[in-house]
Amino acid sequence: EVQLVESGGGLVQPGRSLRLSCTASGFTFGDHSMSWFRQAPGKGLEWVGFIRNKASGGTIEYAASVKGRFTISRDDSKSIAYLQMNSLRTEDTAVYYCTRGYNSPSYWGQGTLVTVSS
Amino acid sequence: EIVLTQSPGTLSLSPGERATLSCRASQSVSSNSLAWYQQKPGQAPRLLIYGASSRATALPDRFSGSGSGTDFTLTISRLEPEDFAVYYCQQYGNSPRTFGQGTKLEIK
């Protein structure tokens, strides 16, 4: 069974950093690209970025709203994808989801809440 | 960036009725790379349709997707109580990937 479990969320002050992890199981992690999405409280869905698998070049793309502040990486040996978030702003407050794939993902984690507030 | 506009914002219907949800793109969606998701409160989104008209695994056949270019539709032929939720369209043919603002399907 495919499972994606996000962790690392919490309360953080503006300007600080946080790293989210997405631990995968039930499939060969290295064969798949991984994506991050987010959803602010009471709002719609927003794409954050993705990282392709090595066979597809390992390239990374980001939404304009996070480019230069957020970094996506992966450790295929541990089956974990990461989202490093720096210079956090109040508008980054959201539930963050990781997904398998980068087009129309059918597997989503349960999400982890990040609250940016002083 | 491709802007997706969903209509209506809220749709009030009764179980057994037919639901028609619209998603219009600001420019043509490459290769009909358009997906639909269902989201219930406190849950992650669930993929329903990809490639504009292909059903996700195990999706009941009362759900169908259609359209091409800039106009897409999600149809639920006979609403079941569990279908009342928020629905989002998403394009993945171009970066950045973008979503519509959602249509809330509520019980009348």
Side-chain angles (χ1 to χ4, degrees):
Chain A
E1 179 193 4
V2 173
Q3 284 197 322
L4 300 169
V5 179
E6 301 94 339
S7 60
L11 176 63
V12 61
Q13 293 179 327
R16 304 297 290 266
S17 299
L18 204 61
R19 188 178 79 163
L20 305 183
S21 299
C22 171
T23 302
S25 60
F27 64 99
T28 303
F29 183 78
D31 288 349
H32 294 270
S33 300
M34 300 295 291
S35 298
W36 288 92
F37 295 84
R38 68 183 181 182
Q39 187 170 36
K43 302 298 184 182
L45 296 164
E46 181 185 13
W47 171 72
V48 173
F50 64 71
I51 181 168
R52 291 187 173 92
N53 60 324
K54 285 185 179 177
S56 299
T59 51
I60 306 171
E61 293 190 23
Y62 300 97
S65 58
V66 306
K67 195 171 185 178
R69 299 188 299 123
F70 289 13
T71 302
I72 298 173
S73 61
R74 61 189 297 156
D75 185 335
D76 290 352
S77 68
K78 295 182 179 178
S79 297
I80 300 178
Y82 299 101
L83 179 64
Q84 176 68 43
M85 305 184 293
N86 298 332
S87 303
L88 282 161
R89 305 168 179 168
T90 55
E91 56 264 36
D92 295 319
T93 293
V95 173
Y96 285 75
Y97 296 100
C98 72
T99 72
R100 190 184 84 170
Y102 66 97
N103 285 329
S104 52
S106 54
Y107 294 103
W108 294 62
Q110 85 289 349
T112 188
L113 176 62
V114 173
T115 303
V116 184
S117 174
S118 55
Chain B
E1 171 175 324
I2 295 178
V3 176
L4 299 179
T5 302
Q6 293 186 240
S7 60
T10 301
L11 186 57
S12 299
L13 294 170
S14 300
E17 291 193 292
R18 180 185 186 90
T20 303
L21 286 67
S22 174
C23 177
R24 178 162 290 179
S26 60
Q27 57 187 280
S28 184
V29 176
S30 175
S31 303
N32 289 336
S33 299
L34 194 286
W36 290 92
Y37 298 87
Q38 176 194 70
Q39 189 178 33
K40 297 179 180 179
Q43 296 185 15
R46 171 195 178 192
L47 176 68
L48 303 176
I49 301 288
Y50 62 95
S53 60
S54 297
R55 286 192 197 86
T57 303
L59 184 69
D61 61 8
R62 64 180 182 273
F63 290 90
S64 63
S66 62
S68 63
T70 60
D71 288 295
F72 299 89
T73 301
L74 175 71
T75 302
I76 311 172
S77 59
R78 295 171 308 279
L79 286 166
E80 298 286 343
E82 61 268 26
D83 298 337
F84 292 91
V86 179
Y87 291 82
Y88 295 95
C89 60
Q90 179 221 359
Q91 68 80 24
Y92 53 92
N94 295 79
S95 275
R97 274 75 164 122
T98 51
F99 287 88
Q101 80 282 14
T103 289
K104 182 179 182 180
L105 179 55
E106 65 178 24
I107 300 177
K108 188 174 182 179

